[in-house]
Amino acid sequence: MHYTCKYLSPLGEMTIASNGDSLTGLWFDEQKYFGATLGREQEERPLPIFDQTKEWLDCYFNGSDPGPIPSVAPEGSPFRLAVWEILKRIPYGKVITYKDIAEEIGRQKGVPGMSAQAIGGAVGHNPISIIIPCHRVVGSNGSLTGYAGGISKKVKLLALEQVDMSGLFIPKKGSAL
């Protein structure tokens, strides 16, 4: 059983999901892959984890580092879980590249390299937006790509965190990266 509630952020309405103890989802409504890990059985119910998450999000959207994240339990393959674990370690106000993540996963697996595209797929399917900060991942050339909530939201989230965006750009449609 999954439990859900709504949160109205400055960037639009969001849905929060939980297994009763930990977060299992946080999506901007209508984003790509919305609710992909939600089962058929859902119930709206107030839970302490929802209160903690809303307080964390309120602090975040007020432009402050909200500190430690609420308890999370994302559902995914071992590969995706490993990628999401790396995302959780990206500091507030900083970015890393898909290539950085690919190199770290390669080190963990003892292989010379990993596909940045595979990393991009795992990052894009992150079910707990903002709290597991997939918006902090950029292309190795500084391109702002690959945010399921939309590039405009990614830009606003990075600006909210006061990320130095002087070397970042939005690629033109159809351009090769």
Side-chain angles (χ1 to χ4, degrees), residues 133-144:
C134 51
H135 62 281
R136 296 180 188 151
V137 183
V138 300
S140 58
N141 64 355
S143 60
L144 294 168

Side-chain angles (χ1 to χ4, degrees), residues 4 21 25 29 35 39 47 50 70 75 84-85 93 109 118 120 131 137 152-153 171 175 177:
T4 61
D21 298 313
D29 289 4
L47 295 170
F50 291 154
E75 299 169 12
W84 301 336
E85 195 59 39
K109 292 184 173 281
I131 290 176
V137 183
S152 64
K153 283 185 175 77
S175 66
L177 297 178

Side-chain angles (χ1 to χ4, degrees), residues 33-51:
Y33 312 121
F34 175 85
T37 57
L38 281 177
R40 292 187 193 269
E41 292 189 41
Q42 302 169 34
E43 179 183 322
E44 284 196 35
R45 175 189 288 183
L47 295 170
I49 189 67
F50 291 154
D51 294 337

Side-chain angles (χ1 to χ4, degrees), residues 79-173:
F79 174 74
R80 286 183 177 178
L81 291 170
V83 170
W84 301 336
E85 195 59 39
I86 292 169
L87 297 181
K88 289 185 338 190
R89 297 192 309 251
I90 306 170
Y92 179 91
K94 304 291 182 194
V95 296
I96 65 171
T97 68
Y98 293 96
K99 182 179 177 184
D100 294 333
I101 297 171
E103 290 172 352
E104 175 61 24
I105 293 291
R107 276 191 292 280
Q108 290 176 9
K109 292 184 173 281
V111 296
M114 289 296 291
S115 160
Q117 285 182 317
I119 299 299
V123 171
H125 283 84
N126 167 27
I128 305 176
S129 297
I130 302 173
I131 290 176
I132 297 179
C134 51
H135 62 281
R136 296 180 188 151
V137 183
V138 300
S140 58
N141 64 355
S143 60
L144 294 168
T145 62
Y147 188 60
I151 297 299
S152 64
K153 283 185 175 77
K154 182 173 190 163
V155 169
K156 289 175 184 172
L157 293 170
L158 294 175
L160 180 72
E161 294 183 26
Q162 299 181 6
V163 168
D164 176 5
M165 296 181 48
S166 60
L168 304 178
F169 66 95
I170 298 172
K172 293 181 178 140
K173 288 190 187 262

